Amino acid sequence: MPSAVEVVDLPKSSSATLRLVQASEAEMIESSTMGATSWRGPLNVGSYLRREAHLRNQVLTRNGGITYWVLVDTAVRPAPGHTRTILSSCETIRKRGLVVQPNGEVKDVISHGIGSVFCNPAYRGRGYAQRMLVELAKNLDTWQQKDGDVAHFSVLWSDIGTVRIYHLRLV
């Protein structure tokens, strides 16, 4: 069931109580349903959600290949039967990367593609997507890395031409 929060009760994006966490199954579905309005194209919402479920079970995405993230306010307990209020959401896909070391050696590494960055239209303009991406960058440094390695890079994907805007706000 969707979250229940009034827009006037939203925290500032700088709040210490905001956390980036892995989405529960219900939060992942809620986030996908909200994002459907922007990304479903000619599909109806039900068809879009079925397509997303299919895509979650491909070779690249199964077995931890895809992770769904949500930015939430830990100071707010959800009402019974509701999910946490999703302030912003995204997904990451684990990808193999190759990095050339200074000595010319090529190193096989784990990188991450970031996609489906979304903020409920009622919550936009408050800095939540920016805060989420800053927190995500911190998490991805060690997320799914082997033997204490750190991430060498990640890539932000967009179908709607806003990557440049997000990047400029993050630096």
Side-chain angles (χ1 to χ4, degrees):
M1 178 174 259
S3 59
V5 70
E6 296 293 324
V7 174
V8 294
D9 296 334
L10 295 172
K12 293 185 182 232
S13 62
S14 59
S15 172
T17 61
L18 296 187
R19 294 283 183 276
L20 182 68
V21 298
Q22 290 183 51
S24 68
E25 183 73 16
E27 290 165 337
M28 186 264 312
I29 292 169
E30 180 181 346
S31 178
S32 293
T33 302
M34 285 190 298
T37 58
S38 299
W39 298 318
R40 66 182 171 87
L43 299 175
N44 63 40
V45 173
S47 295
Y48 173 80
L49 293 175
R50 284 189 296 280
R51 182 194 76 178
E52 291 299 299
H54 175 76
L55 292 175
R56 282 193 301 274
N57 196 30
Q58 300 306 303
V59 172
L60 182 65
T61 54
R62 69 173 70 119
N63 300 322
I66 191 166
T67 305
Y68 296 88
W69 303 92
V70 291
L71 183 70
V72 298
D73 185 357
T74 59
V76 176
R77 295 188 59 129
H82 289 80
T83 62
R84 296 174 287 195
T85 299
I86 299 171
L87 301 173
S88 189
S89 62
C90 69
E91 60 192 41
T92 56
I93 298 178
R94 182 181 57 225
K95 306 271 291 174
R96 176 182 182 222
L98 300 172
V99 175
V100 178
Q101 303 294 306
N103 65 2
E105 179 185 338
V106 177
K107 183 176 181 181
D108 201 339
V109 299
I110 294 173
S111 65
H112 295 276
I114 304 165
S116 301
V117 174
F118 185 79
C119 187
N120 183 325
Y123 303 164
R124 290 182 184 165
R126 296 172 179 263
Y128 294 137
Q130 180 179 358
R131 170 73 183 267
M132 178 187 67
L133 291 174
V134 167
E135 298 300 324
L136 182 63
K138 294 174 196 174
N139 279 312
L140 291 183
D141 277 347
T142 57
W143 182 247
Q144 298 179 323
Q145 297 299 321
K146 301 179 207 171
D147 303 322
D149 201 3
V150 295
H152 292 270
F153 65 94
S154 59
V155 179
L156 176 60
W157 298 101
S158 175
D159 290 348
I160 56 175
T162 58
V163 170
R164 187 176 196 192
I165 294 167
Y166 282 127
H167 176 71
L168 291 174
R169 289 183 183 164
L170 290 174
V171 291

